[in-house]
Amino acid sequence: METRGESQVEVAIIGAGWYGLVAARTYLRLRPSAKLIIIDSDNTVGGVWSRDRLYPNLVAQVRHGLFNYSDTPMPRNGGNPRDDKVTGKMIHDYLHKYAEDHDLLRRTRFNTFVTNAKQLNGRWRLSLRDTDEIIETEKLLVATGVTSIPVLPELDLSESSFPVIHSRDLGTHYQDLGDEDIKEVVVVGAAKSAYDAVYLLLKLGKKVTWAIRSEGGGPLSILPYKVLNMINAIAFASTRLMSHLSPSILNTEGRLYKMFHQTRPGRWCVGRFWDFLDLNSSIHAGYSKGDQVTLLKPEIDRQSVFWSSSGLGLVVLSDFWPTLHSPNLTVRRDVVQAVKGNTVKFKSADQITTDYMIMCTGWGDHFAIFDAQHKAKIGLPAYGDDVEAFSESQDIDWKTHYEVADKIVDQKLPFLADPPKLKYTKGMDPALQKRWNLYRRVVPVSMATKGDRSLAILGQIHTIQTPLVSEVQSLWAVLYLLGEIELPDADTMATEVSLWNTWTRKRYLRQGLKHTYSLYDFLSYVDSIFKDLKLDSRRKSNFISEFLSPYEPHDFNGFVDEYLRTRETSKVE
């Protein structure tokens, strides 16, 4: 074990992905002389897009222009002005240059894993793996994301003769998988990473057996890149029209809200829109062709791309579905029960041989740095089936807040009060929801009510425009830490939190039970943050553009400068 003693900083940021990097830059813009450190367990910046996690065919589920910071355009793929793809390498290179340009690399500790974070006497003490060094910080921003700790199923692999890896490690194992001696591969799981892995393996000429358990969330809902081969799906999802077609608890005012969500004809129109989009997605995938892809149809009785109960994907590569229709793919709705030699035994008692296995089986506790007591104080849910050992602050009656929120969401958004039928409903009890009691998805309510502004949680909101949301959320979070955001009283914050958590559970079903899901609803979130900052989030030049033109990051270019000018003007007055 390395011995390095203790170091002290003003602010520590855990994570060097989209959120961590822009949070660091933002903090330094407001406090240029701050002693700031970024800590990341990988050997490069990027988070999920770090160098070792890249492999060919890895692309973001967006088009070019929708996946970059507002003031920093991303160069096109190979400089080709007609190529709209955003590849993994493009994102990594972009984030590395961003960190380089803003002098963040020298402030970053790579290959450093935080094992524990404890608050002591108002400061945070961070313990690190393989060293007795302690980093003590006044302010702590946690930007670890939700895909940092891989989880593998409990299998006895001691007698396995083939490699078993998690999808996180595809980048470092890609060359091995390409070896001609690797002919058959088993992929386990139904996450988006499983779809990517299966596609990659089929393109490498492998025979793939894809195992998805028959119970649980089941396969993803997947949108085509272009609806009717004309309209880019994510671009349309970035319009204000979509912010009304997707009922959001942050968007319950105005004439369009009343028309779409408080009238029967309006709700009928919303339903038919999503029926059409679902049908288009189903035809594009070819679920009805009668081959193995039929087993990948979402197990929900209607509007799967709306409810996104098992998650949502987007087809970017034109040959994606034709590749999955290949006879080299076998889909099994089964569970791997045992591994011995080169044989995989399933729960059904069937057996197959394989040369490799890739586990796309989800992620662990990315807040394991906090013990149960700290999680309760912060307002973070217990992981998995764990039960919170300590009740949160009794100053807030969360039970009553959530009971009231349940009624309000049904009243304001009656479309969500009539959920679809899922094939499997195990685990869908609302009482099992993982509740993130964070105001604006950032602030630990019970700490803030006591005047403790030492901690901010970043990135716990899953949207289609990660870079833009990371910028907006980071500015708000940094201002909160510096005492420049005036918070409402505890009751108002608890109401906002309970409404959000109740809404995301009803809106996104299984995903909403597990995460702070907000796929189609990023604009409403940006609106709420801009309102707090007293900035105008309506950036288009006319009503038609405001309603129908996609909101891209560049539309918000300069918003930090706008805030700083507004702040200076307020000081003068």
Side-chain angles (χ1 to χ4, degrees):
M1 176 183 287
E2 186 180 0
T3 301
R4 297 186 61 172
E6 184 172 306
S7 56
Q8 295 190 349
V9 295
E10 178 183 328
V11 57
I13 299 173
I14 305 176
W18 284 108
Y19 281 87
L21 294 178
V22 76
R25 182 196 174 194
T26 303
Y27 200 100
L28 290 168
R29 288 190 69 179
L30 274 70
R31 293 290 188 274
S33 62
K35 188 176 182 182
L36 179 148
I37 186 173
I38 304 169
I39 306 169
D40 198 278
S41 59
D42 273 318
N43 56 15
T44 68
V45 300
V48 68
W49 305 103
S50 62
R51 184 177 56 205
D52 285 347
R53 296 177 71 170
L54 304 181
Y55 54 87
N57 303 327
L58 178 63
V59 295
Q61 301 176 75
V62 294
R63 70 157 171 78
H64 185 267
L66 293 173
F67 214 61
N68 51 266
Y69 294 129
S70 64
D71 62 352
T72 311
M74 178 183 287
R76 284 186 181 268
N77 189 25
N80 182 354
R82 302 185 65 181
D83 191 344
D84 274 344
K85 289 196 299 295
V86 180
T87 68
K89 185 178 185 305
M90 287 169 63
I91 298 171
H92 172 74
D93 291 347
Y94 174 89
L95 289 172
H96 178 82
K97 189 173 189 307
Y98 183 88
E100 196 173 52
D101 290 347
H102 298 292
D103 196 25
L104 302 178
L105 292 178
R106 71 177 179 88
R107 302 174 186 271
T108 305
R109 286 270 300 270
F110 292 113
N111 300 309
T112 303
F113 190 95
V114 178
T115 58
N116 186 265
K118 287 186 177 181
Q119 191 178 34
L120 185 65
N121 299 324
R123 295 176 65 87
W124 289 93
R125 293 175 61 83
L126 309 180
S127 302
L128 311 177
R129 180 183 291 169
D130 299 327
T131 176
D132 63 358
E133 179 185 5
I134 297 292
I135 297 177
E136 187 173 278
T137 181
E138 179 184 343
K139 307 287 187 184
L140 176 62
L141 290 101
V142 181
T144 52
V146 296
T147 57
S148 53
I149 310 293
V151 164
L152 294 171
E154 294 183 2
L155 285 174
D156 182 0
L157 302 176
S158 60
E159 297 186 63
S160 169
S161 64
F162 55 82
V164 179
I165 66 169
H166 191 271
S167 58
R168 184 187 193 277
D169 301 316
L170 265 175
T172 53
H173 286 258
Y174 169 73
Q175 295 295 334
D176 294 342
L177 286 164
D179 191 299
E180 62 181 15
D181 290 335
I182 305 299
K183 301 183 184 304
E184 299 189 11
V185 182
V186 172
V187 176
V188 179
K192 179 59 171 63
S193 59
Y195 288 73
D196 293 337
V198 168
Y199 173 82
L200 173 68
L201 294 165
L202 291 172
K203 295 297 286 185
L204 288 173
K206 311 302 178 181
K207 289 188 175 182
V208 180
T209 298
W210 188 356
I212 302 172
R213 59 179 177 155
S214 57
E215 296 184 3
L220 288 179
S221 305
I222 299 189
L223 282 167
Y225 184 63
K226 288 188 176 182
V227 179
L228 299 178
N229 291 319
M230 294 186 295
I231 303 171
N232 183 274
I234 297 301
F236 182 77
S238 300
T239 64
R240 285 211 180 272
L241 172 58
M242 179 62 93
S243 73
H244 291 284
L245 293 172
S246 176
S248 170
I249 197 61
L250 297 180
N251 189 17
T252 56
E253 295 179 355
R255 286 178 294 178
L256 288 175
Y257 155 69
K258 290 180 181 178
M259 180 181 75
F260 281 120
H261 298 292
Q262 290 294 304
T263 68
R264 288 183 182 274
R267 293 194 294 275
W268 184 90
C269 290
V270 170
R272 300 300 73 74
F273 166 78
W274 289 102
D275 284 340
F276 161 74
L277 202 56
D278 207 48
L279 176 63
N280 187 258
S281 301
S282 180
I283 293 172
H284 184 255
Y287 295 134
S288 62
K289 290 185 177 181
D291 60 7
Q292 67 275 3
V293 171
T294 300
L295 296 174
L296 299 179
K297 184 176 182 180
E299 296 172 335
I300 183 172
D301 73 339
R302 57 185 166 89
Q303 302 157 346
S304 69
V305 296
F306 170 79
W307 298 99
S308 304
S309 181
S310 297
L312 182 72
L314 177 80
V315 171
V316 175
L317 301 170
S318 59
D319 65 344
F320 179 83
W321 282 120
T323 299
L324 264 64
H325 281 282
S326 163
N328 283 338
L329 173 63
T330 300
V331 178
R332 301 182 61 100
R333 301 305 305 273
D334 211 340
V335 175
V336 175
Q337 196 168 56
V339 172
K340 186 173 183 179
N342 68 341
T343 301
V344 177
K345 182 178 180 181
F346 293 93
K347 187 177 181 180
S348 63
D350 290 345
Q351 296 185 152
I352 63 170
T353 58
T354 190
D355 303 309
Y356 229 96
M357 181 179 287
I358 301 173
M359 297 291 192
C360 307
T361 45
W363 306 94
D365 185 1
H366 48 288
F367 286 114
I369 59 172
F370 299 113
D371 61 24
Q373 186 174 8
H374 277 82
K375 281 185 177 180
K377 181 171 72 170
I378 296 167
L380 300 174
Y383 173 70
D385 296 326
D386 294 345
V387 177
E388 291 183 9
F390 302 87
S391 61
E392 207 183 332
S393 169
Q394 297 303 309
D395 297 338
I396 300 172
D397 183 359
W398 286 108
K399 183 174 182 295
T400 298
H401 276 288
Y402 277 105
E403 288 174 350
V404 172
D406 196 81
K407 297 175 183 178
I408 292 176
V409 172
D410 284 349
Q411 176 188 359
K412 288 183 176 291
L413 302 170
F415 191 91
L416 303 183
D418 180 26
K421 293 179 181 178
L422 303 177
K423 186 173 182 180
Y424 296 102
T425 58
K426 184 179 180 180
M428 293 298 295
D429 184 348
L432 299 176
Q433 182 180 13
K434 299 299 183 181
R435 291 170 174 169
W436 309 77
N437 290 334
L438 304 171
Y439 179 65
R440 293 288 193 245
R441 322 292 71 77
V442 173
V443 172
V445 176
S446 60
M447 293 177 67
T449 56
K450 295 177 174 62
D452 184 350
R453 293 190 177 217
S454 65
L455 174 68
I457 306 295
L458 300 177
Q460 298 308 304
I461 176 171
H462 188 53
T463 76
I464 59 173
Q465 286 212 22
T466 298
L468 173 61
V469 173
S470 71
E471 278 189 278
V472 173
Q473 189 183 81
S474 291
L475 175 60
W476 193 95
V478 170
L479 292 171
Y480 158 73
L481 291 176
L482 297 176
E484 295 189 24
I485 287 286
E486 185 177 344
L487 297 178
D489 60 38
D491 188 68
T492 301
M493 287 193 287
T495 296
E496 191 265 359
V497 168
S498 57
L499 283 172
W500 171 277
N501 285 332
T502 300
W503 164 75
T504 195
R505 168 175 61 80
K506 291 174 178 284
R507 172 65 182 85
Y508 292 105
L509 305 179
R510 194 178 297 276
Q511 290 300 314
L513 280 168
K514 297 187 294 183
H515 307 297
T516 50
Y517 231 57
S518 185
L519 276 180
Y520 299 109
D521 315 284
F522 79 95
L523 264 180
S524 299
Y525 180 72
V526 170
D527 288 342
S528 67
I529 296 295
F530 268 54
K531 185 177 180 181
D532 289 348
L533 300 176
K534 298 180 173 58
L535 297 177
D536 185 5
S537 60
R538 296 181 177 269
R539 321 285 284 193
K540 302 293 187 180
S541 59
N542 58 69
F543 173 78
I544 295 177
S545 295
E546 185 65 45
F547 192 58
L548 296 176
S549 178
Y551 260 101
E552 302 185 8
H554 73 78
D555 289 309
F556 294 90
N557 185 13
F559 78 91
V560 177
D561 293 321
E562 291 175 32
Y563 172 79
L564 294 175
R565 286 195 298 270
T566 301
R567 184 181 67 171
E568 290 305 312
T569 301
S570 300
K571 287 181 180 179
V572 172
E573 294 176 353

